[in-house]
């Protein structure tokens, strides 16, 4: 019900008033009809009211009370108070806390009929609580409307006038009395006489005011203009003297309680003045007098008129302005009205100031009374008040009205908006007066007065008075807003002089004036007004915003320019000062009106231009811009990103192309300058609105200027963009300054004050910057800070990113719906993947493409169908017309084109519609068919693609017959649907708005006739203007609907949400994100104009914008934006195309240089563009001075290498190619076609100084800044050099600048220089290796100069900057191939040594590096010069070199000289210098080791010092020199030098090694000694530096000598190196296992020497390691692969066939044959030089370790097929025994290379196994070794021999295997291991027998173990010997015979007990031997054994012949033969092995 009564449309009110207006022909026929019509048409004061929510009686009263003079039916004038004719009031609806006392009797009982019926008494409202009291008695007044509120305490003791001051009254009365009207009208004459008599009688007292007023009132109605003027003048003066405000006798309470008192005299006086105005017929003099009197009544500052009296005065003045025919009177009335309204609000300001003072005083009183302090003085209070007033006001808002809305804001919500309940605040409120009180002592003095009842009453009275003043302001403002909202007919819109238009303009201007001059009232938290319902104080801005927003929504989009302009100004004030309380409202205005106007093509350009001025003010306000971004762009609930959108609009306008001539541009400049100087000031604060009199109001002239408005818009948009950048820069710089200042403030300062000051900074803010909330610096307005959302940049940035993520998700959905939904669900924007949540998101989210939504919902998949159903279920069609429901339904998506999808949509719509409207149709089928039919009708009527006839109404009705359950729907109903669809297409609002914005007019849908008729009807009409007027109305309506929805949502969510979250800007950090989201638009707007225009002012404006943008991008490190702006500005300089360079390009160049000077620290990578332009500028300057253009390469056109590359690698072909690409300059070409003026300016002093300043200012750059600068300059320098090619005069401008800035920055700290030199050094490296020697010479000379300068600065110990800056010399020396360049490098270094040698510290290292490179040169001159200077340094500066840590570099340098094979003389000198370095080092005091030199030759290890420090010193000094020797012997080419190095190395170790610490010995072993022999593991490293022949020589000479030296070293320092025994054994094992027979034998010999030389030093643990080495040797030399070498087929078959071994088998077998842990190079294996085994093609007599015997049978030992070298019994028969039998003949076997290598490795292992057996035999037969080795270890060795014996016997016994190997080509004869078998057995037996017969204690303890190991093998040997075939195995017999002899001889000498124990074992064997053909040795041994058996068993006496003693310490013959044989064939075997 409230909505129907309070939210009534104003249009209905206008109609109602028109029905009651006297100007209506039905209600009035008076002669003043014309005047009244004008009065009604001019928005008479019938509009200044607020509808009562409960009754229409108030409307009738208001319409009646302001009518003024009435006319009776006779046409005679009569006053409204003569005969009351108030209409009967309506009965009000009862409301809570309200009582209606309005009855018709009110009029008859003396009530003033002009006031109409008495309004209901508002007992629940405080403002009327005391309105019924009088000054005298205070009793209840029976007539509340005429109560005068007079505070007795406020009345002065006497009347305001004295008798002496009544002269003007007497004169006026006498004038009236003398008039003829007084004589004609007795009542007038009598009243005058009574008044004069009273004055005379009561003198000096004043008479009753009623007596004075009566004649004056009668005189005003006497129809005499002079008389009325005199009366009005007197009344005005009396009002000014407050005379009529005193209580009179007539106003005292009557005795009868039922008689109401008359209206207050002041009110009747005002009514009298008002009644004098008779419309247009009123004389001009009377009009002026009325205005003057009313102004005096309102401006009286002693007795203030409130309520109805105040409003009546303002109303009449307003009507005089509208209806007066005098332009002067109109202008006076307008000024008077402005003054009246201003006075009302000025009084509110004063009251608020007093209220603030009282508030502060009460707080201060409480605080000081609690602290018992002295009260403050007057000055203190004044200071407090002033301090409070100086703070900007903030607004506290009510939650219910400003609650956050989750519903979308639409545009139509202003009309019925009720954010504040003002039902009881009406225009006909009682007239009241208040007197200005005498200031109490408590207010002035500030002395705290104890609280009392009186004080509380006084406080309440003050608050009530404040409320009265606030109501006045509210009523006036509301009245002005309501006057401005009336819709005007078209004819009045076009006529600015019409009453309606002038009324609208005046009301809008007054609203603007109020806001402009008194904005502080609207934002002050103390400016409150009480609500009618809750009686709770509501902020003033919240109370009036419903009317303000309604007014602006109605007029903001007006097609009338004057209305639009003042509306824009009002909006600007809202935006500037009321952003917080009107956050949501401003958002709607921006989106729906002002930005929409910029979007619309058909919008007037004048409006766009004016709006551009508003935007320019916004852009000039930094705080407003930042808060616009924070509260809209960072707010997820905002309608749009307002800041971003504004910038995009400005950029779009700025980049729009406009055709304009230079003359027009110049004309625009002049007009713009004049407009700025003569701009109207009515928008400014404190000035009056423009004159709106009929003489002055004229339509705005059309654009008569030759300058197109489009160009003006373009320029102004550019200015806005630049202003935006200025504001952002100012805000960011001020914020940074404030942040810095806050860090320096004292911690004791109040944080709130500090925060406020940081927010305010009014003195440093730019023009137009708003304070924190508003411009409250106006006088007298108190303020207190309000609670704002915290300005947390991080949180806001997160919110912004969240919003951006949503926007991206929406874009993804619009592109591909399914993927977009997944992204939105993943990001949390859709609560879940349930159909309900997805549907809710699709329905309520802005920005979704309706077509995409329709396609997604229309899919036939079950999930899509479920979402579609949930989507429709969210819509409510209850009690909605069918077509309206269908329209609502189709607004959620765009209907797809497929019939199946449409069918699914219509089915669901029909079901949903019937569920909400069950009685609409018979069933859902009806709704379905009808919906489908309406869709088809809409397409038929409005589709432009249909060419045929359209559907008629009859066709539509016919098509829908019988659809309602076989019944017809009413034909009228279907016809209505047809008409509605025909006239109003169902179309998406978004599409319609887009079309309207584009200016697209919907095409007509009728036929040809209708089109022709429409064309004729539009002749002579301004269709574009009409279209925009219609669009303006649509915008207004849409805005109003938005606000309706906004208020509805706020009310709905009032209890759920708090107030609107407004973020007040405080942080400068927001500027970065703001610029980040807008820089592309800014860039587009700026770059577009700077490219297109030639206007200098525009160019300067654009360049300023670029500078500001670069400033922001640099401040916030926005790399992409910075690079874009800088590169674009550099491009605009046009230095790459000199012929096109003009003045505008010079401006761009100036801007670029300014940027370089101001933003140097922050340009970073953008320095490259700047420095490239400077380089091109230098080229231009050279060309302009006459230098040939071809001689100065253009960097931009000759970019050979864009990125950094190594120029040293450029060969001749590359150089020629680069030279070919560079165009040859034409002869005689000296000009590029540039403008002389441009060239002259480019060469000006300012430019030259500007460029120089950039380089000189580098000294002031930060550490990071200078690094970026130098890097960029290096890149430009390299590009210059590359562009120069092979020119003899290359461009080195930037290279020279590098040297210059190095000088400028020489004082920088070393930390910064280190980073700089990394860049400079790399650049000099590149330049120094350039193929153009001219460039290289310049670079080296520059580098030399810098180095000399650096060397002047002393370097402290421990630093290495000298080393770094000299590195480029080394790089150039290493990479340059030009001899002259190398000479120059050496010359530079020599010069530095000679000039700055004493200052060189760490630079020695780099210098030695250069000399090291020189030592490797093939040029004798370079080597000689370098070595000579190294020798000088060695001789004269050795101590400095040592002290600076360059000793190692010196050693390396001398090493390289020693290795130079081309100049042996220098090499030998260098190696000798290296040798002499050791004693010189030990003698040098700078060397820490010099104190230990005296004990260097001692072998003792004492006094080595602390290991850590000692090892460090040894590494620093000993290691470099020892490693130098090692390096020479390993990689030196000259054998002599290498031999010397080897000797010197070990000499030094032996001589000085006694002082080495164990740690250092470890280092030497790992890095020097052991690596010498690493080639034995892998020759790959050595092969890289030596060819094969050199490697072989090195192995056979240097390495063998090194191995012997190693053993000598170990023996010499055994005590120190004994812990390395296992390492030496590992090394020897590595040597022995080599395939090179020489190395293997040397290794074996060295192993023996190691043991023999140190045998007496070994302990048990040493022997354990030694025996462990033998275990490893025997294992690694056992040829286990013999049993797997033959393939399966050949092993199982006796007939030989040629087969190919599978590669996998060969490879797997080969992998098991490695003798070393690291593979040996195949080249060494297959080399003919090292082929020592000679398996193929060599005579078998020369030595095969593996013997052949195809007739071998049985398990016994085999004989050697080869004849022993020294055997004299070898004959032909023996040779014939080896001739192959016929059955053994086979085809030649084809053996692959891999297979041969595999076989050779097996044979090598067999050879090495024999070598090991020989080594064991020789070593352990030595008495010293035998005596020292423990028995357990010796038994371990014997076990190895036994294992070798058993392995060989097993192989020899497998004849099939041996034959298979022979058939596969393993050897030329079947192989066997007879030598290994017999040799190992012989050694085994000999050593064990010696152990058994040894009587030592240790041997005795192990005799049992010895016996157990000996007896079984001895038995086996004799048994095997007995079964050998004497015919076929003669050689086996010869091999085993010595072994058998040794066994028997050893057994014979057993102790008797042991001998007897084994007689049963040996006796049978002896018997078997007797049956053999025994040789002499065997026979003698057998004889001795049998004799001993006889002696032991049979008691035979001993023989006279002594028994043969066992041969101790000598090898058995078999072993000796085996060794000899192996030795004799070793060279050939080695060569054979290498060959294979």
């Amino acid at each position: 019900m409230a909505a129907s009564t309070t939210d009534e449309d104003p249009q209905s009110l206008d109609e109602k008033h028109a029905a009651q207006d006297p100007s209506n022909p039905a209600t009035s026929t008076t002669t003043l009809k014309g005047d009244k019509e004008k009065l009604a048409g001019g928005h008479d004061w019938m509009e200044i009211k607020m509808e009562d929510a409960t009754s229409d009686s108030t409307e009738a009263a208001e319409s009646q009370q302001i009518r003024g003079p009435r006319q009776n039916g006779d046409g005679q004038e009569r006053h409204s108070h003569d005969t009351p004719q108030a209409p009967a009031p309506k009965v009000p609806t009862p409301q809570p806390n309200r009582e209606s006392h309005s009855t018709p009797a009110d009029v008859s009982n003396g009530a003033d009929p002009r006031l109409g019926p008495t309004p209901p008494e508002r007992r629940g409202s405080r403002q009327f609580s005391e309105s019924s009291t009088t000054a005298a008695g205070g009793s209840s007044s029976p007539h509340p409307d005429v109560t005068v509120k007079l505070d007795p305490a406020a009345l002065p003791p006497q009347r305001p006038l004295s008798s002496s001051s009544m002269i003007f009254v007497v004169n006026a009365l006498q004038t009236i009395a003398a008039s003829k009207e007084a004589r004609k009208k007795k009542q007038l004459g009598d009243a005058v006489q009574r008044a004069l008599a009273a004055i005379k009688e009561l003198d000096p007292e004043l008479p009753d005011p009623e007596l004075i007023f009566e004649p004056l009132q009668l005189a005003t109605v006497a129809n005499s203009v002079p008389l009325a003027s005199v009366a009005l003048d007197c009344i005005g003066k009396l009002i000014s003297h407050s005379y009529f405000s005193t209580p009179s006798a007539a106003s005292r309470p009557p005795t009868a309680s039922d008689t109401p008192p008359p209206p207050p005299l002041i009110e009747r006086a005002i009514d009298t003045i008002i009644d004098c105005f008779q419309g247009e017929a009123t004389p001009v003099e009377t009009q002026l007098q009325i205005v003057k009197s009313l102004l005096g009544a309102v401006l009286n500052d002693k007795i203030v008129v409130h309520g109805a009296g105040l409003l009546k005065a303002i109303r009449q003045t307003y009507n005089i302005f509208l209806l007066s025919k005098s332009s002067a009177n109109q202008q006076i009335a307008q000024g008077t009205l402005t003054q009246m309204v201003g006075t009302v609000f000025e009084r509110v300001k004063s009251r608020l100031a007093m209220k603030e003072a009282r508030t502060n005083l009460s707080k201060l009183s409480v605080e000081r009374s609690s602290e018992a302090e002295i009260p403050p003085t007057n000055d203190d209070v004044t200071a407090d008040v002033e301090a409070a007033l100086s703070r900007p006001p903030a607004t506290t808002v009510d939650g219910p009205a400003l609650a956050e809305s989750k519903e979308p804001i639409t545009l139509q919500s202003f009309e019925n908006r009720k954010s504040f309940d003002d039902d009881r605040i009406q225009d006909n409120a009682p007239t009241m007066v208040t007197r200005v009180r005498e200031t109490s002592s408590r207010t002035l003095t500030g002395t705290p007065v104890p609280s009392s009842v009186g004080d509380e009453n006084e406080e309440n009275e003050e608050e009530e008075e404040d409320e009265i003043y606030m109501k006045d302001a509210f009523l006036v403002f509301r009245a002005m807003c309501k006057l401005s909202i009336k819709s005007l007919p078209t004819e009045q819109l076009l006529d600015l002089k019409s009453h309606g238009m002038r009324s609208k303009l005046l009301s809008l201007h007054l609203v603007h004036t109020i806001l402009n001059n008194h904005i502080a009232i609207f934002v002050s938290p103390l400016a409150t007004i009480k609500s009618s319902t809750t009686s709770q104080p509501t902020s003033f801005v919240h109370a009036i915003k419903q009317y303000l927003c309604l007014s602006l929504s109605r007029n903001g989009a007006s097609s009338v320019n004057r209305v639009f302009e003042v509306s824009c100004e009002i909006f600007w004030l809202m935006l500037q000062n009321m952003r917080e309380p009107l956050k949501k409202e401003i958002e709607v205005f921006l989106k729906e009106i002002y930005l929409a106007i910029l979007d619309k093509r058909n919008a007037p350009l004048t409006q766009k231009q004016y709006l551009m001025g508003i935007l320019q003010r916004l852009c000039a306000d930094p705080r407003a811009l930042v808060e616009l971004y924070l509260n809209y762009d960072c707010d997820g609930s905002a309608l749009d990103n307002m800041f971003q959108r504004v910038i995009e609009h400005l950029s779009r306008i700025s980049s729009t192309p406009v055709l304009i001539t230079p003359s027009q541009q110049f004309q625009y400049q002049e007009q713009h300058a004049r407009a700025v100087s003569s701009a109207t000031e009515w928008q400014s604060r404190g000035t009056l609105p423009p004159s709106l009199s009929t003489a002055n109001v004229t339509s705005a002239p059309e654009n008569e200027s030759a300058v197109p408005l489009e160009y003006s818009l373009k320029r102004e948009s550019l200015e806005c963009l630049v202003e935006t950048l200025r504001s952002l820069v100012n805000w960011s710089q001020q914020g940074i300054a404030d942040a810095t200042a806050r860090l320096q403030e004292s911690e004791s300062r109040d944080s709130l004050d500090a925060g406020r000051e940081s927010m305010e900074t009014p003195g440093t803010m730019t023009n137009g910057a708003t304070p924190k909330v508003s411009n409250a610096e106006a006088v007298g307005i108190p303020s207190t800070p309000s609670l704002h959302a915290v300005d947390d940049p991080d949180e806001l940035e997160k919110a912004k990113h969240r919003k951006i993520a949503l926007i991206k998700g929406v874009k993804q959905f619009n592109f591909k719906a399914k993927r977009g939904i997944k992204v939105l669900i993943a990001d949390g924007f859709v609560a879940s993947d349930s159909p309900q949540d997805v549907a809710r998101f699709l329905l309520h989210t802005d920005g979704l493409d309706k077509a995409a939504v329709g396609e997604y919902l229309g899919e036939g998949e079950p999930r899509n169908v479920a979402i579609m159903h949930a989507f429709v279920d969210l819509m409510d069609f209850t009690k909605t017309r069918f077509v309206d429901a269908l329209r609502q339904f189709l607004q959620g998506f765009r209907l797809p084109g497929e019939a199946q999808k449409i069918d699914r949509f219509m089915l669901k719509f029909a079901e949903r519609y019937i569920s909400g409207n069950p009685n609409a149709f018979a069933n859902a089928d009806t709704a379905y068919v009808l919906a489908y039919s309406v869709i088809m009708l809409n397409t038929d009527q409005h589709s432009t693609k249909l060419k045929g006839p359209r559907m008629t109404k009859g066709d539509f009705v016919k098509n829908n017959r019988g659809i309602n359950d076989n019944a017809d729907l009413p034909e009228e109903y279907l016809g209505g649907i047809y008409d509605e669809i025909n006239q109003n297409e169902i179309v998406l609002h978004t599409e319609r708005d887009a079309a309207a914005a584009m200016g697209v007019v919907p095409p007509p849908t009728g036929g040809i006739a209708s089109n022709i008729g429409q064309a004729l009807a539009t002749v002579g009409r301004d269709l574009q203007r009409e279209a925009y007027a219609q669009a303006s109305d649509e915008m207004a309506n849409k805005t109003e609907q938005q606000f309706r929805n906004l208020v509805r949502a706020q009310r709905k969510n009032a209890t759920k949400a708090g107030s609107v979250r407004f973020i007040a800007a405080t942080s400068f950090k927001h500027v970065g994100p703001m610029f980040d989201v807008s820089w592309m638009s800014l860039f587009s707007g700026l770059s577009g104009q700077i490219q297109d225009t030639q206007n200098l002012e525009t160019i300067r404006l654009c360049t300023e914008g670029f500078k500001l943008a670069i400033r922001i991008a640099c401040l916030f490190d926005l790399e992409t934006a910075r690079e874009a702006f800088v590169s674009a500005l550099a491009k605009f300089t046009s230095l790459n195309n000199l012929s096109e360079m003009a003045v505008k390009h010079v401006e761009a160049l100036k801007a670029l240089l300014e940027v370089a000077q101001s933003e140097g620290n922050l340009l970073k990578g953008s320095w490259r563009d700047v420095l490239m332009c400077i380089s091109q500028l230098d080229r231009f300057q050279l060309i302009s001075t006459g230098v040939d253009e071809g001689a100065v390469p253009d960097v931009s056109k000759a970019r050979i290498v864009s990125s950094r590359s190594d120029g040293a690698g450029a060969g001749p072909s590359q150089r020629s190619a680069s030279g070919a690409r560079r165009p040859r300059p034409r002869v005689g070409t000296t000009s590029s076609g540039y403008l002389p003026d441009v060239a002259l300016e480019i060469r000006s002093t300012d430019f030259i100084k500007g460029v120089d300043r950039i380089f000189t200012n580098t000294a002031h750059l930060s550490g990071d800044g200078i690094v970026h600068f130098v890097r960029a300059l290096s890149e430009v320098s390299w590009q210059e050099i590359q562009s120069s090619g092979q020119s003899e005069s290359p461009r080195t401008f930037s290279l020279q600048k590098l040297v210059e800035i190095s000088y400028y920055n020489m004082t920088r700290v070393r930390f910064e220089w280190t980073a700089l030199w990394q860049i400079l050094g790399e650049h000099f490296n590149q330049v120094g290796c350039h193929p153009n020697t001219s460039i290289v010479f310049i670079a080296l000379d520059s580098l030399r100069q810098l180095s000399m300068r650096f060397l002047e600065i002393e370097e402290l110990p421990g630093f290495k900057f000298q080393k770094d800056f000299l590195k480029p010399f080394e790089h150039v020396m290493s990479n340059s191939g030009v001899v002259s360049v190398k000479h120059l490098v050496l010359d530079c270094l020599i010069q530095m040594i000679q000039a700055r040698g004493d200052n060189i510290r760490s630079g020695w290292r780099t210098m030695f590096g250069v000399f090291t490179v020189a030592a490797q040169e093939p040029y004798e001159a370079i080597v000689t010069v370098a070595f000579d200077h190294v020798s000088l340094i060695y001789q004269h500066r050795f101590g400095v070199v040592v002290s600076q840590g360059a000793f190692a570099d010196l050693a390396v340098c001398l090493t390289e000289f020693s290795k130079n094979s081309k100049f042996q003389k220098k090499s030998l000198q260098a190696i000798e210098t290296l040798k002499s370095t050791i004693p010189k080092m030990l003698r040098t005091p700078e060397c820490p080791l010099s104190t230990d030199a005296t004990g260097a030759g001692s072998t003792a290890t004492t006094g080595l010092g602390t290991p850590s420090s000692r090892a460090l010193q040894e590494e620093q000094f000993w290691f470099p020199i020892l490693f130098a020797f090692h390096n020479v012997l390993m990689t030196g080419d000259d054998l002599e030098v290498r031999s010397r190095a080897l000797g010197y190395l070990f000499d030094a170790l032996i001589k000085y090694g006694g002082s080495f610490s164990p740690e250092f010995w470890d280092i030497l072993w790992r890095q020097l000694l052991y690596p010498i022999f690493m080639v034995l593991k892998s020759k790959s490293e050595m092969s890289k530096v030596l060819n094969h022949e050199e490697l072989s020589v090195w192995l056979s000479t240097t390495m063998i000598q090194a191995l012997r030296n190693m053993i000598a070293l170990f023996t010499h320092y055994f005590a120190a190196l004994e812990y390395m025994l296992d390492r030496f054994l590992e090394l020897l094992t590595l040597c022995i296992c080599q395939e090179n027979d020489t190395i293997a034998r040397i290794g074996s010999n060295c192993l023996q020497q190691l043991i023999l030389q140190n045998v007496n030093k070994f302990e048990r643990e040493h022997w354990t390691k030694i025996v462990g080495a033998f275990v490893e040797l025997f294992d690694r030399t056992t040829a286990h692969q013999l049993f797997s070498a033959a393939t399966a087929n050949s092993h199982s078959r006796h007939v030989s066939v040629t087969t190919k071994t599978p590669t996998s088998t060969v490879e797997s077998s080969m992998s098991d044959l490695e003798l070393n842990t690291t593979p040996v190079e195949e080249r060494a294996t297959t080399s003919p030089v090292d082929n020592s085994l000679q398996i193929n093609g060599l005579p078998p007599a020369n030595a095969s370790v593996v013997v052949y015997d195809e007739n071998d049978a049985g398990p016994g030992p085999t004989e050697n097929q080869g004849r022993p070298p020294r055997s004299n019994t070898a004959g032909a028969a023996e040779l014939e025994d080896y001739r192959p039998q016929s059955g053994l003949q086979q085809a030649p076997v084809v053996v692959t290379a891999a297979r041969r290598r595999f076989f050779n490795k097996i044979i090598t292992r067999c050879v090495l196994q024999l070598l090991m057996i020989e080594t064991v035999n020789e070593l352990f037969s030595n008495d010293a070794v035998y005596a020292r080795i423990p028995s357990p270890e010796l038994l371990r060795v014997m076990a190895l021999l036994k294992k070798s014996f058993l392995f060989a016997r097993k192989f020899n016994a497998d004849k099939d295997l041996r034959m298979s190997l022979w058939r596969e080509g393993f050897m030329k004869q079947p192989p066997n291991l007879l030598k290994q078998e017999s040799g190992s057995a012989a050694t085994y037996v000999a050593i064990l027998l010696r152990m058994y017969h040894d009587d030592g204690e240790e041997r005795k303890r192990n005799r049992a173990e010895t016996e157990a190991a000996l007896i079984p093998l001895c038995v086996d040997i004799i048994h095997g010997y007995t079964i050998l075939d004497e015919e076929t195995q003669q050689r086996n017999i010869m091999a085993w015979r010595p072994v058998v002899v040794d066994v028997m001889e050893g057994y014979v000498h057993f102790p008797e007990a042991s001998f007897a124990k084994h007689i049963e074992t040996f006796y049978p064997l002896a018997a078997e031997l007797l049956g053999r053909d025994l040789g002499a040795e065997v026979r003698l041994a057998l004889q001795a054994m049998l004799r001993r058996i006889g002696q032991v068993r049979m008691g035979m006496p001993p023989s006279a012949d002594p028994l043969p003693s066992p041969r101790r310490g000598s090898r058995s013959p078999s072993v000796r033969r085996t060794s000899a044989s192996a030795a004799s064939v070793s060279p050939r075997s080695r060569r054979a092995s290498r060959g294979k």
Side-chain angles (χ1 to χ4, degrees), residues 937-947 950 985 1005:
L937 174 64
N938 188 73
T939 304
D940 176 82
Q941 295 296 305
H942 300 285
S943 175
T944 58
K945 298 180 181 179
L946 296 179
K947 302 302 181 183
R950 306 282 175 169
E985 179 188 4
T1005 58

Side-chain angles (χ1 to χ4, degrees), residues 1687 1700-1711 1792 1794-1795 1797-1798:
T1687 58
K1700 293 184 179 181
T1701 304
T1703 305
S1704 60
T1705 305
V1706 174
E1707 291 176 353
S1708 62
S1709 301
M1710 288 174 63
S1711 64
T1792 64
R1795 187 74 170 162
R1797 289 194 297 269
F1798 173 59

